[in-house]
Amino acid sequence: MSSEVLTTAATGMPDLEAALRGLASAPTLLVASDFDGALAEFTTDPSDSGPAPGAMTALRALSRLPGTTVAIVSGRDVRTLGQLAGIRSTDRIALLGSHGAESSVSGVVNGSIDADQRTLLDELTTQVAELIQDHPGARLERKRAAVAVHTRGLPAGSAKAALEAADQLGQDQPQVRVMPGKSVVELSVSHADKGSALRALADVVGAAHTFYSGDDVTDEDAFEVLDPEGDVSVKVGSGTTAATHRVPDVTALVATLQRLLELRRDVVDEAAVRRP
Ligand SMILES: [Mg+2]
């Protein structure tokens, strides 16, 4: 891909190509991304989701380069995320699930919820089940530490009403964390967020620099923990963001990861040549 495509002058954001060049030579690098809406196109049925062409190939290749850790970070639970992303037993790709409450790498997060949180989650799930009765077409998803209301595919008015009702249900309960997304509101009993989990993973694997991309409100937690000088954060799509860069869509993000791979491979090859 040409550097022109990655130049984001029109958005008023700094040149992504230059940022990737800087990152490619970092001795230790964490490359992490949100899944849905970033590595995978949205589908009407969230269980039909799968990675966009080229996405996993680029991530797998990055994960095999020296000093490079790759992670996928999602609101989905680790098990579902692994299945949808098509993670193989030979892959060296870390998974952070349930918005950072769960990790496939030990020592990153404490994913358990206590008895009080369990009781709260059970009550919340009952309330959400009642709520969706009033909003035909809205779907309930049970998660390990949360319950979500999905409205993808619904007429705009019905979707808005269902999401507002779910949001209000969560706002009324101070122990519940409300996480709005695209056509989804998630009500969580966990205090985890993608930013804390990303930081913890970077510490555990010893990565001094991080690349992170995502499209959702919950990805802002991750963008905010990154250093705008030494890290690169990429918002996928429109909307206000704390990210340093932006790409228009999933296809452009895959191209960005392929470009990062290309640049980092060059750095690794050069280092190999210089080595006595
Ligand atoms: Mg997303």
Side-chain angles (χ1 to χ4, degrees):
M1 151 171 229
S2 80
S3 59
E4 265 170 295
V5 181
L6 292 175
T7 303
T8 49
T11 66
M13 284 177 156
D15 184 348
L16 180 52
E17 167 72 13
L20 294 179
R21 282 183 181 279
L23 208 58
S25 57
T28 52
L29 176 63
L30 170 61
V31 179
S33 181
D34 171 37
F35 185 70
D36 295 278
L39 298 173
E41 300 283 1
F42 283 113
T43 50
T44 305
D45 179 352
S47 63
D48 282 344
S49 174
M56 294 307 293
T57 309
L59 291 183
R60 283 194 180 98
L62 277 162
S63 75
R64 293 190 163 88
L65 294 180
T68 314
T69 301
V70 171
I72 305 178
V73 186
S74 175
R76 295 182 186 264
D77 62 75
V78 159
R79 196 165 158 268
T80 309
L81 179 60
Q83 285 168 351
L84 294 177
I87 297 292
R88 306 167 187 159
S89 58
T90 50
D91 280 337
R92 292 184 236 163
I93 297 176
L95 301 177
L96 297 179
S98 305
H99 299 287
E102 264 191 296
S103 169
S104 66
V105 179
S106 61
V108 174
V109 289
N110 174 7
S112 59
I113 59 170
D114 63 24
D116 288 347
Q117 286 170 308
R118 166 60 51 200
T119 306
L120 177 61
L121 181 58
D122 289 345
E123 288 168 5
L124 203 53
T125 305
T126 306
Q127 292 163 352
V128 170
E130 285 167 10
L131 181 147
I132 64 164
Q133 300 290 316
D134 298 333
H135 298 274
R139 295 175 301 279
L140 176 153
E141 181 191 5
R142 288 168 208 274
K143 298 181 148 198
R144 213 187 40 78
V147 56
V149 176
H150 292 274
T151 59
R152 194 161 296 279
L154 257 69
S158 315
K160 187 166 179 278
L163 295 177
E164 280 175 359
D167 187 274
Q168 193 55 54
L169 178 65
Q171 301 294 352
D172 289 344
Q173 305 181 68
Q175 320 91 305
V176 173
R177 185 158 183 249
V178 181
M179 290 185 282
K182 300 217 170 86
S183 304
V184 62
V185 166
E186 182 164 333
L187 305 176
S188 175
V189 300
S190 159
H191 305 297
D193 69 74
K194 288 181 174 182
S196 317
L198 190 67
R199 264 274 147 268
L201 178 63
D203 287 347
V204 165
V205 302
H209 297 278
T210 299
F211 171 98
Y212 185 79
S213 50
D215 71 306
D216 251 314
V217 178
T218 52
D219 294 308
E220 295 298 320
D221 291 326
F223 296 147
E224 280 164 16
V225 300
L226 297 184
D227 172 8
E229 299 300 318
D231 299 322
V232 174
S233 50
V234 179
K235 163 85 174 176
V236 183
S238 56
T240 2
T241 184
T244 53
H245 297 80
R246 190 191 299 274
V247 293
D249 51 27
V250 172
T251 307
L253 178 65
V254 173
T256 303
L257 291 168
Q258 287 167 337
R259 182 65 182 143
L260 179 59
L261 168 65
E262 200 173 88
L263 291 166
R264 193 154 174 81
R265 262 186 185 151
D266 288 349
V267 170
V268 169
D269 290 347
E270 272 172 40
V273 168
R274 278 202 307 271
R275 214 168 287 141

